[in-house]
Amino acid sequence: MGARPYPSEATRRQGDKATGRATSRKLWRFEERMHDVLVTGASKGIGLAVSRQLAKAGYGVIGVARSAPEEEFPGTFLRCDLADVEDTARMLKEVTRGHAVCRVVNNAGIAQPQPIEELDLTVLQQVVDLNLRASVQIVQALVPVMRAQRFGRIVNITSRATYGAKDRTSYAAAKSALVGCTRSWALELAPDGITSNAVSPGPTATELFRRARPVGSEGERRAIASIPMGRLGTPDDVAAAVTFLLSDEAGFITGHVLDVDGGSSLGGR
């Protein structure tokens, strides 16, 4: 599973000698770059775990986030404020100029919980903009290369909040809209060999989660109580699902939302 390994220059030359054909170095490098994956929100949490697993699987990872990671990043890291349309366009121009990206993970997002009667409409716009508009803008920029190669993988990170979540009107709306995009893109892009899926995490022990619900807190207890498996998810749990959906082997799976939540989205409990 994962990226196909590419032989060294010496191995390539040996193959050319054996077959009597010369392999275009430019084509070789282009094919190798097709294994690049763009990951947003890559500096920590789920995005960083995804980046690590992808690098381990042999992909070239291009990570994007507003702030740099605190530790060495397993690939190329680009600073970009995805809440800024122009900065996002600048980053995408740089990425598409130097890479043939046929795989993308739209992970960046914000929640900003507010009860409905106190919901600030400016906050609603901000949450929808980063969770939805940025993902749409990124896919728009990358789809032409995917269509040209008749291959592509889009994975959107959504949330258990799409089933409803207290004080999460903005976040649930944005992530639900992203589910709609996921399925619409699946129908639209399938004829060109491009898949579009979503991974929907439940409560996951990220830095953000721990700031709101420290170990041993009542908030942590309530979160765990909602999960039939009796534990929080880890960023690596989510990354494993993402890595599979990006793989060559997942080519007949599209329009699917994969819940990675320990069964917490199931009814009948």
Side-chain angles (χ1 to χ4, degrees), residues 67 106 159 182 186 204 263:
S67 57
N106 287 309
S159 170
T182 299
T204 305

Side-chain angles (χ1 to χ4, degrees), residues 106 131-132 135-136 156-158 173-183 185 198:
N106 287 309
N131 286 283
L132 183 63
S135 298
V136 172
N156 298 316
I157 305 300
T158 58
K175 291 300 189 181
S176 295
L178 192 55
V179 168
C181 289
T182 299
R183 291 171 174 156
W185 298 341

Side-chain angles (χ1 to χ4, degrees), residues 6-264:
Y6 281 82
S8 65
E9 181 73 9
T11 302
R12 182 180 67 81
R13 287 175 178 170
Q14 289 176 0
D16 291 344
K17 185 177 180 181
T19 61
R21 296 193 301 267
T23 303
S24 164
R25 188 169 186 174
K26 183 176 180 181
L27 175 60
W28 190 271
R29 287 180 174 175
F30 181 79
E31 289 177 345
E32 188 169 11
R33 289 198 305 270
M34 280 182 64
H35 291 288
D36 288 344
V37 185
L38 181 67
V39 181
T40 68
S43 62
K44 56 188 175 182
I46 290 171
L48 183 56
V50 168
S51 298
R52 287 172 176 159
Q53 286 203 22
L54 291 174
K56 186 176 180 180
Y59 294 97
V61 181
I62 305 165
V64 175
R66 185 172 54 184
S67 57
E70 296 180 356
E71 54 198 82
E72 185 177 359
F73 187 76
T76 300
F77 183 80
L78 302 175
R79 295 188 67 163
C80 174
D81 183 2
L82 294 171
D84 185 316
V85 174
E86 293 184 359
D87 199 28
T88 303
R90 174 201 58 78
M91 177 273 295
L92 289 168
K93 185 176 181 180
E94 180 178 351
V95 167
T96 55
R97 183 173 59 241
H99 304 268
V101 177
C102 290
R103 294 173 169 90
V104 60
V105 181
N106 287 309
N107 169 68
I110 52 173
Q112 301 207 36
Q114 292 178 316
I116 182 58
E117 67 272 20
E118 299 173 13
L119 179 61
D120 185 327
L121 295 182
T122 300
V123 170
L124 171 65
Q125 292 173 335
Q126 291 171 346
V127 172
V128 171
D129 185 66
L130 183 56
N131 286 283
L132 183 63
R133 186 271 311 155
S135 298
V136 172
Q137 187 177 358
I138 288 167
V139 169
Q140 281 184 321
L142 299 182
V143 157
V145 171
M146 296 182 189
R147 285 192 188 275
Q149 298 305 312
R150 297 193 63 79
F151 176 90
R153 298 284 184 268
I154 301 166
V155 178
N156 298 316
I157 305 300
T158 58
S159 170
R160 187 179 70 162
T162 58
Y163 293 100
K166 184 179 178 182
D167 299 336
R168 298 293 198 281
T169 295
S170 299
Y171 188 62
K175 291 300 189 181
S176 295
L178 192 55
V179 168
C181 289
T182 299
R183 291 171 174 156
S184 296
W185 298 341
L187 291 170
E188 189 173 342
L189 302 174
D192 289 308
I194 302 166
T195 67
S196 174
N197 293 287
V199 171
S200 177
T204 305
T206 62
E207 298 93 328
L208 183 62
F209 179 91
R210 284 303 182 194
R211 279 202 295 269
R213 305 170 187 84
V215 174
S217 67
E218 178 61 20
E220 181 197 50
R221 187 199 66 77
R222 286 197 302 268
I224 294 175
S226 72
I227 304 170
M229 293 194 76
R231 70 166 177 89
L232 296 172
T234 68
D236 283 338
D237 289 329
V238 181
V242 172
T243 300
F244 169 67
L245 290 173
L246 290 171
S247 70
D248 292 348
E249 290 83 351
F252 205 57
I253 302 170
T254 195
H256 184 70
V257 180
L258 177 56
D259 294 319
V260 182
D261 61 8
S264 61

